[in-house]
Amino acid sequence: MAYIDGFVIPVPRDKLEAYKDLARRCNKAWREYGALDCVECVGDDVPYGELTSFPRSVQARQDEVIIFSWVVYESRQSRDEVMKKVLADDRLGKMHGKSAF
């Protein structure tokens, strides 16, 4: 059975193109190291819900757009192996734990 990592990310609207560039680099690296698929979705009609919603879950500001993305792996073991390689990849600018855009 496949294994998936999913992400909900608030991105400032004026940084959306920089995020897309980063996402393309990430997609290439993840796939090179064994991910089966990488999907990036930019929300254009994602209201701030009363109790729960993607914007609320990340405390998005008015000037941010919501990104919903996921990476598909063959298995949890495959995911762990891919992530180890991705996090060591200098091409991604050591982005983990820091804003990359």
Side-chain angles (χ1 to χ4, degrees):
M1 180 178 286
Y3 187 86
I4 296 175
D5 276 335
F7 310 92
V8 178
I9 307 163
V11 174
R13 289 182 194 281
D14 64 347
K15 304 285 187 183
L16 186 56
E17 291 307 313
Y19 177 83
K20 288 179 181 180
D21 289 340
L22 174 64
R24 282 188 278 276
R25 286 187 287 146
C26 289
N27 185 311
K28 185 176 179 179
W30 260 259
R31 287 174 164 273
E32 179 181 318
Y33 292 127
L36 302 177
D37 198 8
C38 301
V39 180
E40 297 283 338
C41 303
V42 179
D44 67 352
D45 185 18
V46 185
Y48 211 97
E50 291 294 320
L51 297 176
T52 184
S53 66
F54 282 155
R56 185 174 291 284
S57 72
V58 293
Q59 299 178 343
R61 298 184 315 253
Q62 190 69 26
D63 67 332
E64 293 176 319
V65 63
I66 298 300
I67 306 294
F68 178 47
S69 65
W70 63 93
V71 181
V72 181
Y73 307 93
E74 185 177 303
S75 64
R76 172 65 192 258
Q77 180 181 351
S78 172
R79 180 260 189 197
D80 292 348
E81 292 169 5
V82 169
M83 287 302 291
K84 186 180 290 187
K85 293 173 185 174
V86 165
L87 292 175
D89 191 321
D90 289 332
R91 293 177 297 175
L92 301 178
K94 298 295 183 189
M95 65 181 189
H96 45 282
K98 301 175 186 171
S99 176
F101 50 94

